[in-house]
């Protein structure tokens, strides 16, 4: 369910950027926004994968993997969206925390599968 919500948001946020922001922001900020959307999609699909795997192999590690990917979407993509729209540069310091969330989520998925 979390994946479905994140995917719906990715479509809506991507469409808003493509249609509502394209003429409002400089190209550099559009590229930052697009990066947020791209990573948002990839990791929301990853959440779906974790959900499917958890049906057959439920584990706490899979739950934590999903939590870290979700946090990564909020921190990484969210900070890029806000940075692109507002130009607030210090938000760039939040983005790597989201990247660490992504990495932790994928590593936890790997460890969970390794244990099975």
């Amino acid at each position: 369910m979390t994946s479905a919500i994140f995917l719906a948001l990715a479509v809506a946020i991507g469409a808003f950027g493509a249609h509502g922001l394209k003429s409002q922001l400089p190209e550099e900020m559009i590229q930052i926004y697009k990066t947020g959307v791209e990573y948002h999609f990839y990791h929301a699909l990853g959440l779906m994968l974790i959900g499917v795997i958890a049906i057959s192999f439920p584990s706490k590690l899979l739950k934590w993997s999903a939590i870290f990917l979700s946090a990564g979407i909020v921190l990484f993509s969210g900070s890029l969206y806000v940075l692109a729209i507002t130009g607030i540069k210090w938000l760039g310091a939040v983005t790597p925390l989201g990247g660490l969330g992504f990495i932790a989520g994928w590593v936890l998925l790997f460890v969970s599968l390794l244990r099975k």
Side-chain angles (χ1 to χ4, degrees):
M1 291 185 331
T2 303
S3 173
I5 295 296
F6 273 127
L7 287 166
L9 285 171
V11 172
I13 290 168
F16 174 70
H19 301 291
L21 295 178
K22 194 167 188 171
S23 64
Q24 304 296 317
L25 297 176
E27 183 59 30
E28 176 189 2
M29 292 299 158
I30 291 295
Q31 289 306 314
I32 289 170
Y33 192 91
K34 284 182 177 181
T35 298
V37 172
E38 186 177 350
Y39 277 73
H40 187 151
F41 267 113
Y42 293 151
H43 292 87
L45 289 170
L47 281 173
M48 186 178 293
L49 173 67
I50 291 167
V52 170
I53 293 169
I55 292 168
S56 298
F57 305 108
S59 77
K60 285 186 180 184
L61 285 179
L62 284 177
K63 179 180 176 181
W64 280 104
S65 175
I67 289 168
F68 276 105
L69 287 186
S70 296
I73 291 170
V74 172
L75 294 172
F76 184 91
S77 295
S79 67
L80 292 181
Y81 299 146
V82 176
L83 169 64
I85 292 169
T86 67
I88 299 171
K89 298 290 184 189
W90 67 263
L91 285 167
V94 174
T95 308
L97 296 175
L100 290 173
F102 290 152
I103 293 166
W106 291 117
V107 169
L108 287 171
L109 173 61
F110 172 80
V111 171
S112 176
L113 293 172
L114 188 65
R115 288 183 176 180
K116 297 297 173 189

